[in-house]
Amino acid sequence: MRKISISDKIGMILFLAPAVILFTVFFVYPVGFILVTSFTEWDGMSSPVFVGLRNYTTIFKDPIFRLAIRNNIGWVIAGGFIQVPLAVIVALMLSKKPFGWKALRTIYYFPNVISTVSLSMMWMAVYNSEYGILNGLLKILGLGHLQRNWLGDLHTAFYSVVLYGVFYIGYFMIILLADISSIPKSYYEAASIDGATKIQQDFYITLPMIKGTIGTCMTVAMVYGLRQFEQTYVMTNGGPANKTMVMVLYLFKKIGDFKYGIADASAVVLLLIGSLVILTVKRIFRTENN
Amino acid sequence: MIYSADSADKYKERGGLKMLKRNFAKVLAVVMILSTMLIGLTSCGKSAETQAQKEIEIKFPSFWVAKDSKAKVMSELINQFNEQNKGKIKVVVEEIADYDAYEDKMKSNIAAGTMPDVFIFKTGAMAEPYYKSGKLMDLTQYYNDGWKNDFLPGVLDSVTYNGQMLAVPYEYGVAPALYNKKLLAEAGYDHFPKTYTEFFDMCEKMKAKNIVPAAQMTGANAWTSMLWYSQLVVAIGGPDVYKNGLDDPAFLEAAKMMQKLFKYTTGDAVGATAAVTAGHFLNERVAILLNGPWFIGRIKNEGINNMYDNVEVAPAPLYEGGKGSEGGYIGFVQSNIGAAKQTDKNKEKAVVEFLKYLTKPENVEKLSVDSGSLFVVKTNLKPKDGKVERLQGEMIEQMNKAPYLVPHFQLMVSPSVGTEFPQALSSLVLGEKTPEQFIEALKAADKK
Amino acid sequence: MKNVLMHKVDFKTKAGKVLMWIVLIFFLFYTLMPMVWLVISSLKTNTELMGSPFSLPSKLRFENYANAFKVSGLGILFLNSIIVSLGATFLNIMIASMASFVLSRFEFRFREAIFSLLVIGILVPINSLMVPYVKIINKLGIYDTRFALILVYSAISIPISTFIIRGFMKTIPVELEEAGTIDGCNFYQRFFKIIFPLSRTGIVTAATLQFLYCWNEFIYSMLLTSSQSVRTIQVGIRYFSNQFTTDYTSMYAAIVISIIPSLIGYITFQEQIISGLTSGAVKG
């Protein structure tokens, strides 16, 4: 291990200080606040009353919260194992610089610039059974029997909310493409002299080189899957029959019901589950370290 | 990595002190630049606040702004108030158009210990935490000063908690059936059905003609369908039905009726939001919509084929064998105005003066005429004196004739039950839950 | 023999190319659709929008744009968004890259612990932070200032920005930095002259995301300000959403107006950086 000089140490402290201070003020303190109130019954107006672990037993006994956890896992899988791999594939394709790749790179990012509300509104219209284009498309394709009220159907609502966003890969594709473009060209030149095809180059050079970034993207996608809120809130508000409920929406509704204690207990559970997910992904992609 | 004397020596040898100083200077410079920049930004946020110190400032976050129908007159009224009280009181309105954001902000502020001077909040069961908090100004003495005579009889009961009168009830809402008489005529009806038997007969006839009878929804707060349910519960169990809680058999019977109603609605009803149901009605894709006076403006401006001329208002049908009576109406205080307790007596007086100003009959009259909204303050408006818009006038007339006015379901049950209602309703109409299980789900939400 | 093989390879690459273009065109339509829909919808009436959301407007309703421009103080809201977004992006990226430098280029006790703690911050649900944030901002006495928004946005994104930037910094070969040390670069010079420029990719990525986050953020913009003079463009967009109704088409017009600057900024920014990148490949 390299020794760190004292001037470096001072630099390190100075460099870490702003992040640590802001983090303490805007994360450690608020999370502490949430943790404390999670042991109380609090309507946000009168004084909180200490109730021990009751909020935690309440939410774990609540089948709706358990369903929310399951759904969040669905979101995590969709983000980490469908969306990111798709982004990797597209990033690899664009890294070959096909015709118009710059324009494509920009356009693929468009949906991330539009607000979630308007994006969700459009998809609600797509899925609508009265005037939606999905049912229209199925009819044209001779699959009329599949037509349904997508967001109002017990079996399709959850998938409908989750899946449309999976194909909006711009966010991750940009990160991956940037990383791919920083791989020295010489690596590929050597490989093509050895007769490796483009696909082989992708597998043996590019993918290993961007493994760390893929891990980064997967972590971010999964964390967003756990924190998922706006899309569900706008499109289904957790319905029908709570089938699309997710943890943050659950806690949001509890705040609406003046149940801050329960809301904060669900936030704590979310943090715990999320930490587990992050640590697992980190372990899997550990080789990238050192 | 571990600090050692060795490295410290080296550091001295290298004349590190000088270097350190230089670095510090550099960092310091950056920090100073940053902080001056930030201070500069801070200061530009606060503008002319240094005006006459004696003026009492009342902060009033409001959602009656922007495109809200009351926005125009409300802002005129407040400007006028500020003009009249120049140098003494100044009401500063904080505009928050988006209702959800408004509620989030009010709740977060109150939870953080800073209740705004004057603000708007919900009524019924949703108002209870506010009353309980002990943070609201007690207005009892001011009401007893004669102010209470300005209000419609009985409404002040809704803001009385433990003997204290803690808010100003303000806007009133009714939720009758709005119907498109052209579509009813196509099915052979020239009036709105008086009973449910007749109503379902009409539904059958409409269905045969490919007309969708009524809009329903389970998305968001299930508004329109929640109003149908409220109406059914009272039609079956009578105006006192909520006294028995969810155990009253009327809730179960009404659930069964909801299943039936969902047979005569659009295919997208499960999961539909208020925007969807409004869209169906305004595009003549459904004939009936339960909604309040605030919807009239949209029928006027947005309904296709001059829809406004074809729309009429009616009380919901009578349930034969039920305890309700003909003409019963859903009616409720839509919003309360609350004020925070003040330590400064002068400020308290100023706040009360402003509240009294808002409820002055002539001011309310202006608001009502311009926006089409109803209020719980007595005014001289007569339904048919030409000032009042036609549909609004019909609503007032029917309301005045109604044997009873009962608030809607959401205001009568605990907030958790109101939140769970759309979910339970969608399971009910999708057949995932029986009516009995529907009631169980609501009861379970009550306990949580 | 050789000829046949060549032919096969050729066929394979051709099939691959066709497949690639099918995928790329699918994504092109898929990602373009919302933008096109948004623009078309912003030129309809609300009744048309709800009646047939995918048809063309019977008549182009430019009055929706007129409505959007009439939002009181639109110019100021815009200006505030620019100040807040740029300020918060600059502050956030400086803080996060400084922290990332320490957390990626040095080894010390608690390094992983500090990093893990930071990253877990990404998880904290915004909705449950509203009450403590109001408290903090009131305590700091900066309620209703642009600085409050800059500070909060900078802080909220520290975890995600650090996570992204550190990931990129870790891939810079040690030799490059050591060469710098030998050349007599001190801690700060190594950061500003070597590591910071070399991790441009990560920094730009994080900065783009941060800028767009700030541009689109609404909850705190509303929660932490009360005067129209310090609020951001998102508040202008919500101008059309009221208690009983939402004027969607005017709102969409406002959204279209609001995304134009961020789109232009994004395109030019991204373009400059990525083209600069290809010249100095550093991955090791």
Side-chain angles (χ1 to χ4, degrees):
Chain A
M1 205 181 284
R2 198 155 47 99
K3 273 193 184 149
I4 302 174
S5 69
I6 191 150
S7 69
D8 277 10
K9 273 188 183 167
I10 291 169
M12 282 164 69
I13 290 167
L14 283 176
F15 268 37
L16 267 182
V20 170
I21 291 169
L22 281 185
F23 190 79
T24 310
V25 175
F26 287 97
F27 285 94
V28 179
Y29 161 70
V31 170
F33 180 89
I34 290 169
L35 192 66
V36 171
T37 49
S38 76
F39 297 111
T40 66
E41 187 182 305
W42 188 37
D43 62 6
M45 310 229 166
S46 308
S47 315
V49 180
F50 181 77
V51 292
L53 288 170
R54 200 181 75 196
N55 293 329
Y56 290 92
T57 51
T58 306
I59 55 175
F60 278 111
K61 269 196 221 146
D62 186 353
I64 300 170
F65 187 70
R66 291 205 302 263
L67 180 60
I69 294 179
R70 267 214 301 283
N71 284 341
N72 272 117
I73 293 170
W75 277 96
V76 165
I77 293 170
F81 300 100
I82 307 177
Q83 192 180 23
V84 173
L86 279 174
V88 172
I89 293 170
V90 175
L92 287 174
M93 287 174 171
L94 288 190
S95 72
K96 308 284 179 308
K97 308 202 166 150
F99 174 76
W101 70 280
K102 277 187 182 172
L104 290 176
R105 186 188 66 198
T106 306
I107 292 169
Y108 290 172
Y109 198 79
F110 277 3
N112 295 73
V113 180
I114 303 176
S115 70
T116 317
V117 176
S118 46
L119 207 59
S120 304
M121 291 297 293
M122 183 192 85
W123 278 94
M124 282 168 82
V126 169
Y127 287 131
N128 186 289
S129 63
E130 298 285 305
Y131 44 66
I133 48 171
L134 183 58
N135 278 348
L137 199 69
L138 288 171
K139 204 171 173 189
I140 294 168
L141 295 173
L143 296 167
H145 61 285
L146 290 178
Q147 290 183 349
R148 61 187 69 230
N149 181 20
W150 296 92
L151 289 171
D153 188 301
L154 293 170
H155 307 289
T156 57
F158 180 65
Y159 298 101
S160 305
V161 180
V162 176
L163 284 178
Y164 85 83
V166 159
F167 295 95
Y168 291 125
I169 47 154
Y171 188 95
F172 298 116
M173 195 265 312
I174 290 281
I175 301 180
L176 291 162
L177 196 58
D179 198 36
I180 295 174
S181 66
S182 68
I183 301 173
K185 294 223 172 37
S186 52
Y187 286 47
Y188 295 102
E189 281 153 17
S192 56
I193 292 167
D194 290 346
T197 64
K198 291 262 179 198
I199 296 200
Q200 282 169 332
Q201 289 177 19
D202 283 344
F203 271 98
Y204 296 111
I205 302 170
T206 318
L207 284 180
M209 295 288 290
I210 60 167
K211 198 177 156 200
T213 307
I214 296 177
T216 306
C217 289
M218 281 178 79
T219 314
V220 174
M222 290 171 153
V223 167
Y224 282 7
L226 286 171
R227 259 181 37 175
Q228 183 357 263
F229 168 69
E230 224 177 350
Q231 226 159 300
T232 311
Y233 174 59
V234 175
M235 291 180 81
T236 63
N237 196 25
N242 289 307
K243 286 284 185 284
T244 58
M245 184 62 77
V246 285
M247 284 187 275
V248 179
L249 182 59
Y250 182 90
L251 77 85
F252 177 80
K253 287 190 174 194
K254 291 298 170 193
I255 292 175
D257 297 346
F258 303 95
K259 291 183 173 168
Y260 280 86
I262 293 183
D264 289 342
S266 0
V268 172
V269 173
L270 168 65
L271 278 176
L272 291 177
I273 295 176
S275 311
L276 264 177
V277 171
I278 290 183
L279 292 177
T280 315
V281 181
K282 220 182 149 209
R283 189 135 296 175
I284 294 169
F285 286 88
R286 175 141 254 178
T287 38
E288 149 286 312
N289 293 359
N290 313 322
Chain B
M1 149 192 168
I2 298 157
Y3 174 93
S4 70
D6 183 41
S7 63
D9 288 340
K10 269 186 197 156
Y11 153 78
K12 263 184 213 151
E13 272 166 31
R14 273 201 230 133
L17 204 62
K18 225 182 186 175
M19 205 150 126
L20 191 70
K21 264 190 191 156
R22 225 184 310 143
N23 291 331
F24 259 133
K26 234 186 245 172
V27 172
L28 210 66
V30 172
V31 169
M32 274 169 64
I33 291 169
L34 270 178
S35 41
T36 39
M37 192 181 106
L38 298 175
I39 289 164
L41 287 171
T42 319
S43 54
C44 55
K46 301 208 166 138
S47 46
E49 239 180 74
T50 41
Q51 234 186 1
Q53 285 298 320
K54 274 189 187 157
E55 204 174 59
I56 296 173
E57 195 178 271
I58 298 174
K59 293 218 164 86
F60 176 31
S62 167
F63 56 80
W64 294 326
V65 295
K67 306 269 275 188
D68 188 276
S69 58
K70 290 177 287 303
K72 199 178 125 243
V73 174
M74 191 51 99
S75 118
E76 282 167 13
L77 288 176
I78 290 171
N79 285 341
Q80 198 190 327
F81 180 83
N82 284 340
E83 200 57 46
Q84 285 168 4
N85 295 283
K86 211 166 188 171
K88 285 182 287 177
I89 311 171
K90 188 178 176 208
V91 175
V92 180
V93 173
E94 179 195 340
E95 300 191 7
I96 304 176
D98 190 286
Y99 185 74
D100 290 341
Y102 183 86
E103 229 185 40
D104 280 351
K105 181 159 183 177
M106 292 309 110
K107 279 187 184 172
S108 305
N109 271 317
I110 295 169
T114 45
M115 186 183 266
D117 296 335
V118 176
F119 65 102
I120 313 159
F121 65 106
K122 282 189 178 155
T123 62
M126 238 89 82
E128 245 175 64
Y130 293 85
Y131 297 152
K132 263 201 294 199
S133 72
K135 289 172 181 161
L136 289 171
M137 189 188 285
D138 180 9
L139 301 168
T140 317
Q141 51 161 326
Y142 303 103
Y143 274 125
N144 288 336
D145 244 9
W147 187 17
K148 66 176 161 195
N149 300 329
D150 288 347
F151 294 85
L152 294 174
V155 291
L156 288 175
D157 294 345
S158 71
V159 295
T160 309
Y161 187 84
N162 280 346
Q164 293 183 317
M165 297 159 104
L166 294 168
V168 181
Y170 204 54
E171 190 175 352
Y172 196 74
V174 288
L178 295 159
Y179 66 96
N180 186 326
K181 66 181 176 197
K182 193 172 83 185
L183 295 182
L184 257 66
E186 278 177 45
Y189 283 78
D190 61 356
H191 67 279
F192 193 77
K194 288 264 187 289
T195 67
Y196 270 101
T197 318
E198 200 189 345
F199 178 79
F200 283 116
D201 279 348
M202 180 185 77
C203 287
E204 273 306 320
K205 288 197 180 107
M206 286 183 143
K207 214 173 178 181
K209 297 240 173 201
N210 259 331
I211 300 164
V212 181
Q216 300 287 353
M217 63 183 266
T218 73
N221 58 0
W223 181 246
T224 294
S225 298
M226 192 274 296
L227 292 174
W228 273 105
Y229 187 70
S230 310
Q231 192 290 124
L232 274 164
V233 165
V234 180
I236 297 166
D240 295 328
V241 66
Y242 290 99
K243 282 194 180 140
N244 313 323
L246 293 169
D247 287 320
D248 194 298
F251 292 95
L252 183 67
E253 194 55 35
K256 289 176 186 161
M257 293 291 282
M258 287 310 288
Q259 282 181 315
K260 210 168 165 187
L261 278 171
F262 266 77
K263 294 201 175 92
Y264 301 104
T265 187
T266 53
D268 59 2
V270 176
T273 59
V276 173
T277 53
H280 284 324
F281 187 77
L282 297 171
N283 279 293
E284 293 196 331
R285 278 197 302 242
V286 298
I288 303 159
L289 179 71
L290 252 59
N291 214 340
W294 49 84
F295 197 70
I296 298 170
R298 291 193 68 187
I299 300 175
K300 238 181 201 169
N301 302 327
E302 299 172 34
I304 61 166
N305 304 332
N306 297 323
M307 175 177 282
Y308 179 73
D309 300 332
N310 290 318
V311 173
E312 289 291 342
V313 192
L318 180 76
Y319 185 85
E320 292 125 304
K323 294 180 192 154
S325 355
E326 195 180 318
Y329 240 50
I330 299 290
F332 48 94
V333 180
Q334 176 79 35
S335 42
N336 281 335
I337 304 177
K341 258 189 188 154
Q342 299 290 349
T343 44
D344 176 1
K345 265 282 162 204
N346 286 330
K347 185 154 184 186
E348 179 172 324
K349 284 210 180 90
V351 168
V352 172
E353 200 174 325
F354 177 57
L355 293 176
K356 282 186 174 171
Y357 175 83
L358 285 180
T359 58
K360 256 191 192 165
E362 70 255 36
N363 291 341
V364 170
E365 211 173 293
K366 269 187 221 157
L367 268 177
S368 185
V369 168
D370 192 70
S371 66
S373 305
L374 308 175
F375 295 86
V376 296
V377 174
K378 291 178 199 156
T379 64
N380 296 320
L381 287 177
K382 297 279 168 310
K384 283 188 173 152
D385 67 359
K387 267 202 224 161
V388 179
E389 180 280 332
R390 174 180 66 93
L391 288 175
Q392 191 196 1
E394 282 176 28
M395 282 185 196
I396 296 173
E397 220 171 349
Q398 290 174 4
M399 185 176 108
N400 291 340
K401 268 195 262 167
Y404 51 77
L405 291 159
V406 181
H408 63 70
F409 181 75
Q410 233 184 28
L411 296 176
M412 300 302 279
V413 293
S414 74
S416 312
V417 176
T419 306
E420 188 54 24
F421 178 79
Q423 306 301 337
L425 179 66
S426 50
S427 341
L428 174 74
V429 299
L430 287 171
E432 200 207 30
K433 282 197 167 85
T434 62
E436 288 77 14
Q437 288 168 326
F438 165 83
I439 299 294
E440 283 313 311
L442 294 183
K443 282 185 187 168
D446 203 15
K447 285 196 200 103
K448 261 179 237 159
Chain C
M1 175 69 193
K2 204 184 168 194
N3 238 344
V4 176
L5 201 74
M6 286 278 282
H7 195 75
K8 251 190 188 164
V9 170
D10 198 40
F11 176 75
K12 251 192 188 167
T13 46
K14 251 190 193 156
K17 269 220 162 119
V18 170
L19 190 72
M20 180 182 90
W21 277 109
I22 290 173
V23 172
L24 290 180
I25 288 170
F26 165 77
F27 278 104
L28 178 68
F29 278 110
Y30 199 81
T31 48
L32 214 49
M33 186 167 79
M35 195 63 109
V36 173
W37 183 81
L38 190 64
V39 173
I40 293 175
S41 300
S42 71
L43 292 164
K44 287 177 162 180
T45 66
N46 278 296
T47 317
E48 277 178 326
L49 180 70
M50 293 303 162
S52 43
F54 297 98
S55 67
L56 291 172
S58 58
K59 186 183 149 237
L60 297 180
R61 309 280 168 170
F62 289 106
E63 59 263 37
N64 293 334
Y65 282 83
N67 284 341
F69 277 111
K70 261 188 259 163
V71 172
S72 60
L74 187 76
I76 293 168
L77 296 177
F78 245 111
L79 188 70
N80 288 335
S81 265
I82 292 171
I83 293 173
V84 168
S85 303
L86 285 180
T89 305
F90 175 76
L91 199 63
N92 169 267
I93 294 303
M94 281 317 293
I95 293 170
S97 53
M98 276 156 44
S100 303
F101 177 55
V102 178
L103 291 172
S104 65
R105 312 302 302 176
F106 298 89
E107 285 191 29
F108 54 95
R109 219 169 357 152
F110 303 129
R111 181 179 84 160
E112 289 309 304
I114 293 176
F115 180 64
S116 300
L117 202 64
L118 272 176
V119 171
I120 287 167
I122 307 175
L123 282 163
V124 180
I126 303 277
N127 307 70
S128 52
L129 293 182
M130 290 192 283
V131 177
Y133 275 25
V134 170
K135 283 191 167 197
I136 294 167
I137 295 301
N138 283 341
K139 242 227 165 98
L140 292 175
I142 51 173
Y143 175 75
D144 198 23
T145 60
R146 294 184 198 88
F147 178 56
L149 296 182
I150 293 179
L151 195 66
V152 165
Y153 293 169
S154 305
I156 284 180
S157 302
I158 285 176
I160 181 85
S161 296
T162 308
F163 185 65
I164 292 174
I165 296 172
R166 182 188 186 249
F168 278 84
M169 281 189 181
K170 284 201 89 171
T171 63
I172 300 170
V174 192
E175 299 80 43
L176 277 175
E177 203 189 337
E178 271 171 0
T181 320
I182 292 161
D183 288 346
C185 291
N186 64 19
F187 181 87
Y188 309 97
Q189 288 163 331
R190 288 205 306 277
F191 174 68
F192 283 110
K193 293 203 170 135
I194 304 173
I195 301 299
F196 192 84
L198 287 181
S199 42
R200 258 189 319 215
T201 322
I203 286 166
V204 170
T205 309
T208 315
L209 299 180
Q210 165 69 356
F211 184 85
L212 288 170
Y213 164 73
C214 298
W215 194 268
N216 290 325
E217 207 289 328
F218 169 68
I219 296 178
Y220 287 114
S221 168
M222 198 51 122
L223 198 63
L224 304 178
T225 64
S226 60
S227 350
Q228 212 67 3
S229 61
V230 298
R231 284 183 165 167
T232 62
I233 188 70
Q234 292 305 318
V235 176
I237 290 171
R238 308 291 165 126
Y239 181 88
F240 298 101
S241 130
N242 287 109
Q243 189 185 11
F244 298 118
T245 52
T246 300
D247 179 356
Y248 285 101
T249 55
S250 298
M251 183 173 90
Y252 290 162
I255 291 176
V256 171
I257 296 170
S258 82
I259 56 183
I260 289 171
S262 64
L263 211 56
I264 292 172
Y266 165 73
I267 291 171
T268 46
F269 202 44
Q270 200 70 27
E271 186 52 42
Q272 292 221 326
I273 302 300
I274 300 229
S275 57
L277 259 176
T278 30
S279 52
V282 290
K283 227 174 152 77

